[in-house]
Amino acid sequence: MADEDDIILAELSDDALVEQMMDDLYDGMKDEIEEGVHILLDRGWVPYDILTKALVAGMTIVGHDFRDGILFVPEVLLSANAMKAGMAILKPLLAETGAPRMGKMVIGTVKGDIHDIGKNLVAMMMEGAGFEVVDMGINNPVEAYLEALEREQPDILGMSALLTTTMPYMKVVIDAMIAQGIRDDYVVLVGGAPLNEEFGRAIGADAYCRDAAVAVETAKVHVARKHNQMRAG
């Protein structure tokens, strides 16, 4: 006889399965998330509904608990990894169905800096919130940022730095954007351990985000505002 702990996902009702997937996501259970996604697809669920109702909803709870100090980076990375596994199944299907997306972000660590855990966490959490994310990796010179902006036409540029010596490079990138007359076309978010709000303001970023959960919330607000301005314009 199966243990009471052994929940058979396929036997759960839709609502119970979604609840269970949110729990599994919280616990970073990659295989269970993949199985849950497949079951819901087999039951005729629209990919966008699986994304928002099970995955994004689950990651929102993870984000809040991370922000409040209940969960820590290793646990969040496990959750984000499970989320990624579910997303990998849904991504091609979402593209086919033309599902609405929150927006698009280009993110990268600045020149001279090779730290990427914080950046990776933000990228994963942003994907978890329904954003399309283009990750440029580490050690990016100003030219790489400008090329990526031109190529990807994102809503948001995210820059991270973990060293006090590389922080000022963010201003180099923003100044280059101003010089090219494209600064106002993008929402610029900055983050990293040595930064603070004052620094973000001083270099001309739209916002400083102290962690991945804040980055997601901030991105949503700024992108909504940007889209409203475009409609009004």
Side-chain angles (χ1 to χ4, degrees), residues 126-154:
M126 290 288 287
E127 283 201 323
F131 284 85
E132 184 183 342
V133 178
V134 178
D135 189 343
M136 299 169 62
I138 54 173
N139 194 20
N140 286 289
V142 63
E143 297 79 16
Y145 283 111
L146 295 175
E147 280 166 21
L149 291 176
E150 195 174 332
R151 184 178 67 246
E152 303 293 343
Q153 295 295 309

Side-chain angles (χ1 to χ4, degrees), residues 24 27-35 78 81-83 85-86:
D24 288 344
D27 296 332
M29 297 167 81
K30 180 171 168 280
D31 295 348
E32 284 79 352
I33 289 298
E34 289 177 334
E35 188 187 340
L78 278 175
N81 223 10
M83 166 89 197

Side-chain angles (χ1 to χ4, degrees), residues 115-131:
H115 295 90
D116 67 355
I117 287 182
K119 169 188 67 62
N120 293 350
L121 205 51
V122 171
M124 286 177 175
M125 294 280 281
M126 290 288 287
E127 283 201 323
F131 284 85

Side-chain angles (χ1 to χ4, degrees), residues 19-137:
E19 288 282 317
Q20 185 58 44
M21 285 172 73
M22 287 164 75
D23 286 348
D24 288 344
L25 197 56
Y26 195 90
D27 296 332
M29 297 167 81
K30 180 171 168 280
D31 295 348
E32 284 79 352
I33 289 298
E34 289 177 334
E35 188 187 340
V37 169
H38 282 303
I39 292 168
L40 288 176
L41 286 171
D42 289 344
R43 290 182 185 177
W45 273 54
V46 179
Y48 185 70
D49 284 347
I50 302 174
L51 172 69
T52 50
K53 291 176 182 165
L55 302 184
V56 173
M59 271 314 267
T60 302
I61 298 166
V62 171
H64 288 163
D65 282 2
F66 176 54
R67 182 192 61 202
D68 297 341
I70 298 163
L71 287 178
F72 299 98
V73 168
E75 294 141 317
V76 176
L77 285 173
L78 278 175
S79 295
N81 223 10
M83 166 89 197
K84 237 180 172 167
M87 283 286 288
I89 301 164
L90 293 174
K91 242 185 189 161
L93 303 172
L94 287 165
E96 281 170 29
T97 52
R101 56 185 180 89
M102 290 296 303
K104 187 175 186 180
M105 177 186 213
V106 163
I107 188 170
T109 307
V110 296
K111 187 177 176 181
D113 209 316
I114 56 167
H115 295 90
D116 67 355
I117 287 182
K119 169 188 67 62
N120 293 350
L121 205 51
V122 171
M124 286 177 175
M125 294 280 281
M126 290 288 287
E127 283 201 323
F131 284 85
E132 184 183 342
V133 178
V134 178
D135 189 343
M136 299 169 62

